Amino acid sequence: MRVTFLGTGTSHGIPVIGCHCPVCTSTDSRDKRYRSSILVEDRGSRIVVDTGYEFRLQLLRENIDHLDAVLYTHSHADHLSGIDDLRVFSQKKNMTVYSNGPTLKYIETHYSYAFDESSYPGNPHLCAVELAPLESVSIAGINVIPLPVEHGRMTHMPIYGYRFSSFAYITDCTYIPDEVFDALKGVRILAIGGLRKRPHGAHFCFQEAYDAGKRIGAETIYFTHINHETSCSEIDSLYPDAFSAYDGLRLENLE
Ligand SMILES: [Zn+2]
Ligand SMILES: [Zn+2]
Ligand SMILES: [Zn+2]
């Protein structure tokens, strides 16, 4: 299995429009961050987690010409707004999008034309399948376990992280329930949202994300959903076994 980070930025992306801070003006290409998303590939199957604003640019950059399924973490715009570009993958058969019930309900309400069989042929044609929390499921032959976590005080916004064998991806998180920690046992590589050094109400800071990774027992931790307060190289200097993910980073030979 192979994972590619399509984007690793928080909702603003980096550079932030109009910002002249050291990170937004950095010459390190790793400090350019599209909105957060990953691509998971295994034996010819391809799944993306989230379709943010730069979804089209991300897929062009990675030369993606087919996609089997989409998993959504939650319905915030920075994770969802590229959804219309799924239309290129849904002309012959509907693309299935997976998430928890409230996220799918939001998507079906706000993009109702994508679920209307009689709609204009050029529209995306999607079907929604709800995933039960912590229940292992095979999607395009890839084993997936949905991980319900919490996103600040947004109790109306249930959010799924996802485990794929020994790799797990959790973003926009401030609380991981005990039963999810149990379901994360055996994860060796964790990609987890770490926004910045200072605490934040809706996202783990680096230390909170690191502590979660250590509790899981992950050998390597990658921070993602990062804001413009910290450069990639500074993040890499914070811990011996945790690193900044960056756009285009590939993790190969995951089991
Ligand atoms: Zn987000
Ligand atoms: Zn900036
Ligand atoms: Zn969010």
Side-chain angles (χ1 to χ4, degrees):
M1 188 176 75
R2 176 166 92 169
V3 169
T4 304
F5 288 86
L6 299 177
T8 57
T10 189
S11 56
H12 281 92
I14 303 177
V16 177
I17 296 169
C19 184
H20 305 290
C21 80
V23 176
C24 287
T25 56
S26 163
T27 54
D28 184 341
S29 61
R30 301 174 305 164
D31 286 325
K32 308 268 182 264
R33 300 185 191 272
Y34 286 160
R35 269 47 77 92
S36 294
S37 169
I38 57 166
L39 172 72
V40 179
E41 298 171 280
D42 195 23
R43 288 163 293 168
S45 294
R46 286 197 179 120
I47 297 175
V48 289
V49 181
D50 292 332
T51 59
Y53 300 110
E54 292 101 354
F55 180 61
R56 171 177 166 272
L57 300 174
Q58 292 165 328
L59 266 59
L60 289 172
R61 186 187 71 208
E62 301 299 333
N63 290 313
I64 304 304
D65 55 9
H66 93 266
L67 203 56
D68 294 295
V70 181
L71 306 179
Y72 282 107
T73 58
H74 64 310
S75 58
H76 275 159
D78 55 320
H79 298 259
L80 177 61
S81 292
I83 191 169
D84 280 331
D85 283 318
L86 288 173
R87 62 189 181 160
V88 297
F89 301 114
S90 66
Q91 295 309 308
K92 290 189 187 133
K93 96 179 168 53
N94 287 2
M95 174 64 70
T96 307
V97 299
Y98 298 85
S99 192
N100 55 48
T103 299
L104 294 176
K105 190 169 174 213
Y106 180 97
I107 296 171
E108 288 174 291
T109 303
H110 288 78
Y111 300 92
S112 57
Y113 54 84
F115 298 89
D116 176 359
E117 291 291 343
S118 64
S119 74
Y120 179 66
N123 283 344
H125 294 281
L126 310 179
C127 68
V129 173
E130 184 173 347
L131 297 176
L134 301 176
E135 262 181 39
S136 178
V137 59
S138 175
I139 297 175
I142 297 176
N143 192 266
V144 179
I145 302 174
L147 308 166
V149 299
E150 293 179 20
H151 190 354
R153 292 205 200 97
M154 291 175 267
T155 48
H156 62 285
M157 176 75 66
I159 172 161
Y160 271 170
Y162 293 100
R163 177 172 181 173
F164 308 88
S165 303
S166 65
F167 171 81
Y169 180 75
I170 297 172
T171 181
D172 293 55
C173 176
T174 47
Y175 177 73
I176 300 175
D178 287 342
E179 61 270 24
V180 174
F181 274 111
D182 291 342
L184 284 162
K185 277 193 192 123
V187 163
R188 295 172 57 205
I189 299 183
L190 174 71
I192 184 163
L195 185 75
R196 62 185 189 186
K197 286 192 272 189
R198 298 178 292 134
H200 183 281
H203 298 273
F204 278 152
C205 63
F206 299 129
Q207 187 64 50
E208 291 162 330
Y210 182 77
D211 290 345
K214 289 280 105 182
R215 181 170 163 190
I216 289 161
E219 291 161 22
T220 311
I221 297 162
Y222 288 98
F223 301 119
T224 187
H225 209 286
I226 292 160
N227 89 354
H228 66 144
E229 292 176 34
T230 326
S231 70
C232 190
S233 61
E234 183 182 356
I235 295 168
D236 283 352
S237 73
L238 297 175
Y239 308 96
D241 47 3
F243 308 94
S244 172
Y246 54 87
D247 293 21
L249 171 65
R250 282 190 213 289
L251 308 177
E252 307 268 4
N253 301 319
L254 299 171
E255 289 166 2

